[in-house]
Amino acid sequence: MLDLSVVIVNYRCWDVLSKCLESLEKQTISIKKVIVTDNFSNDGKLSVFRERFPWVIWIEEQINGGFSFGCNAGARLVNTKWVLFLNPDTQIPEYCFEGLLSHCEENPDYKLISIKQIDGNGKDCYPYGIFPNALNFFPPFRSLERNLFKRSQSKNKNSKSLVAFPDWISGAFVLIRDEDYKKIGPWDELFWMYYEDIDLSKRASKLGMKRVLLNDWHCIHEHGGASRRNTNTKILTKSEVLISSHKYIQKHLKGTSRACAHFIVFTFTFLELVILYLFSKVKRGMLKRLVKYWSKAMV
């Protein structure tokens, strides 16, 4: 049995969660503990899943506190050497963990570990990136920085290397020793959704901990299990990307860099939403929600 706990956060992602749990059950070596935090789905389906997957430890929350909140709730029940934070919209090949954990055991300098993620069509999802700074919140600048000034962080190089060391790895698959997780500290619940994985990697970086991408292993990641269900959910989650970016800027950048980054995010977001306001219900909803956030943040 693998000395591993898997922590999954669910919010009304029952169809993809079912596939994820089935893939975990089919692993060639059984996992010691699988924990699912349900962030108040409140749709009557949790009881069905308790019966269908009795080997899962279910945590039923009374609020939807966000991804970090759910991860922290699950992590409190971990008592294994390894913990994997895993999205519910992922599927793990049955041979994956056996070889992966053995390899990681042989490389104690690997601290935050991820693997290649592919979508249902076999396309690379590139589950990593460079740390945000004063300028690269504007996507063209970010691409320019990767391909001209940080070529070791380019998607082309990282995707073709057997072992790559990106700045940050996606929260959809984060494998870490429990002792290292405790050194870094819990997921920051300041971030309701998005940027919490970049923040975790940033804190690991400050402690000198390597973030690693292992391309010899892969999982399937069906994006958008909880974030694209309907128009209101799209408005909420797409707005949260921008709100979380401001929170990240406020936490990790200082002085002129902080002011510049806030300005870039605000300016380009505001212009885009105003231009598309008449053509998109999602953009209208985002603008209304973000204006409320900006007006409070500026006070």
Side-chain angles (χ1 to χ4, degrees):
M1 179 174 288
L2 296 171
D3 196 14
L4 169 70
S5 295
V6 180
V7 174
I8 302 170
V9 180
N10 173 64
Y11 176 73
R12 299 184 180 178
C13 294
W14 302 109
D15 290 343
V16 291
L17 176 62
S18 175
K19 295 178 184 178
C20 179
L21 294 176
E22 287 170 358
S23 76
L24 295 179
E25 194 172 17
K26 292 176 182 176
Q27 291 300 300
T28 52
I29 299 180
S30 60
I31 301 162
K32 188 171 184 180
K33 187 178 288 188
V34 176
I35 304 161
V36 177
T37 302
D38 184 67
N39 265 349
F40 196 57
S41 291
N42 196 31
D43 56 5
K45 295 184 178 180
L46 178 57
S47 58
V48 175
F49 269 66
R50 284 185 190 274
E51 292 184 11
R52 184 177 173 188
F53 300 99
W55 47 272
V56 173
I57 298 171
W58 296 93
I59 302 173
E60 184 176 5
E61 294 293 348
Q62 298 306 305
I63 60 169
N64 183 358
F67 182 76
S68 293
F69 173 85
C71 284
N72 290 338
R76 285 190 282 272
L77 299 184
V78 170
N79 59 359
T80 51
K81 180 176 181 179
W82 291 92
V83 56
L84 171 65
F85 296 98
L86 185 67
N87 265 27
D89 55 358
T90 57
Q91 297 171 47
I92 310 297
E94 63 183 19
Y95 55 82
C96 181
F97 289 146
E98 180 179 358
L100 176 61
L101 260 70
S102 297
H103 180 75
C104 293
E105 292 279 11
E106 296 169 0
N107 291 274
D109 57 326
Y110 294 177
K111 298 302 184 182
L112 266 68
I113 301 154
S114 194
I115 60 177
K116 183 187 289 289
Q117 295 176 24
I118 59 175
D119 65 17
N121 297 316
K123 184 179 179 181
D124 198 331
C125 299
Y126 304 114
Y128 48 82
I130 58 175
F131 285 134
N133 57 43
L135 296 178
N136 67 19
F137 276 96
F138 184 45
F141 291 170
R142 186 161 58 249
S143 179
L144 196 66
E145 181 177 352
R146 273 199 311 262
N147 294 306
L148 288 183
F149 305 112
K150 283 190 172 182
R151 292 185 179 179
S152 64
Q153 294 293 325
S154 71
K155 289 182 178 179
N156 182 58
K157 182 173 179 59
N158 280 337
S159 64
K160 292 181 178 179
S161 301
L162 293 181
V163 180
F165 299 94
D167 281 354
W168 61 266
I169 58 174
S170 163
F173 187 110
V174 177
L175 177 65
I176 184 172
R177 295 169 184 82
D178 187 50
E179 63 178 5
D180 290 327
Y181 172 71
K182 288 181 169 63
K183 289 177 184 176
I184 298 170
W187 297 79
D188 191 341
E189 295 178 23
L190 172 72
F191 304 96
W192 183 78
M193 195 176 198
Y194 303 110
Y195 279 84
E196 65 284 301
D197 46 7
I198 306 177
D199 171 75
L200 190 75
S201 289
K202 185 69 172 180
R203 287 185 281 139
S205 174
K206 290 178 179 179
L207 293 173
M209 294 184 176
K210 288 183 179 179
R211 289 80 59 213
V212 184
L213 175 73
L214 301 175
N215 284 309
D216 266 347
W217 291 269
H218 77 277
C219 66
I220 297 170
H221 186 189
E222 300 178 17
H223 285 272
S227 62
R228 304 173 189 174
R229 302 186 68 84
N230 52 53
T231 298
N232 289 334
T233 302
K234 287 180 182 178
I235 291 170
L236 175 64
T237 55
K238 286 178 177 292
S239 300
E240 198 60 34
V241 175
L242 283 307
I243 292 172
S244 291
S245 69
H246 283 294
K247 292 178 179 179
Y248 181 93
I249 291 166
Q250 197 64 24
K251 180 175 180 178
H252 290 290
L253 275 62
K254 296 180 180 179
T256 305
S257 294
R258 176 189 289 174
C260 181
H262 278 308
F263 177 78
I264 288 174
V265 172
F266 170 79
T267 301
F268 286 102
T269 302
F270 185 76
L271 289 175
E272 176 192 352
L273 296 180
V274 168
I275 292 170
L276 298 176
Y277 186 86
L278 295 176
F279 308 101
S280 170
K281 184 177 180 180
V282 171
K283 300 299 183 183
R284 290 195 294 275
M286 288 176 63
L287 182 59
K288 291 175 183 177
R289 189 166 185 267
L290 287 167
V291 165
K292 290 181 181 179
Y293 170 79
W294 286 325
S295 61
K296 291 179 181 179
M298 291 176 181
V299 175

